Amino acid sequence: MTVVDCDPAPARALDGRQVQVLRGGGVSLVLATADDGLPEVLHWGRDVGPVTDGAELLLALGRPLGPSALDAAWPLTVLPTERDGWEGRPAIAGHVDGLPLVPRWRDVEVTAEPGALVVTAVSDELLLRSAFRLDAAGCCASGTP
């Protein structure tokens, strides 16, 4: 039997970001809080092992910058939109009063619940509450808590 579990407390990096780890089926899902916006997916793959230092994990899992890139890598958030610099299809689309929906998330929280990481955030137009779970095979699923 495989245990699906969350680390009991998030690790903190020097810049104040929290690193949350969800484990299951030999796999880890690692989320890092951001200064502004939704958490970034740092890793989803082989278990990263015990996390004692959030700064070291952020450094190890950080994406390199290519030539002629911006000063920092664009974050791959749990719900990427144009506001995050995402150039692919947005994870959320719609219109509010005839204007495109591009939420600016605030009051973002990532909490560990039994077998899940739950992301809660608010924008002027929306309330987001989504749970991320890993099953016994390490497959990630998201949905309402």
Side-chain angles (χ1 to χ4, degrees):
M1 180 170 126
T2 303
V3 176
V4 178
D5 197 10
C6 296
D7 284 354
R12 276 207 183 268
L14 295 175
D15 61 0
R17 296 174 71 189
Q18 288 185 355
V19 177
Q20 295 270 11
V21 181
L22 180 64
R23 303 171 194 282
V27 171
S28 292
L29 173 66
V30 181
L31 301 181
T33 60
D35 293 333
D36 181 29
L38 294 174
E40 181 178 359
V41 178
L42 293 181
H43 175 79
W44 174 32
R46 187 175 178 178
D47 194 342
V48 294
V51 177
T52 56
D53 186 349
E56 286 185 8
L57 188 62
L58 284 171
L59 181 62
L61 296 177
R63 295 186 314 241
L65 292 175
S68 72
L70 299 172
D71 292 338
W74 287 106
L76 176 58
T77 67
V78 296
L79 192 69
T81 66
E82 293 90 345
R83 188 174 302 279
D84 303 314
W86 182 249
E87 294 180 351
R89 281 193 179 166
I92 186 169
H95 294 273
V96 175
D97 296 329
L99 298 173
L101 179 63
V102 184
R104 178 179 297 273
W105 300 107
R106 62 182 188 282
D107 301 329
V108 178
E109 293 181 3
V110 180
T111 55
E113 293 184 0
L117 291 176
V118 178
V119 177
T120 306
V122 177
S123 77
D124 290 338
E125 303 87 9
L126 300 170
L127 167 67
L128 170 71
R129 186 162 161 81
S130 186
F132 295 86
R133 292 179 175 80
L134 291 176
D135 66 15
C139 292
C140 184
S142 66
T144 56

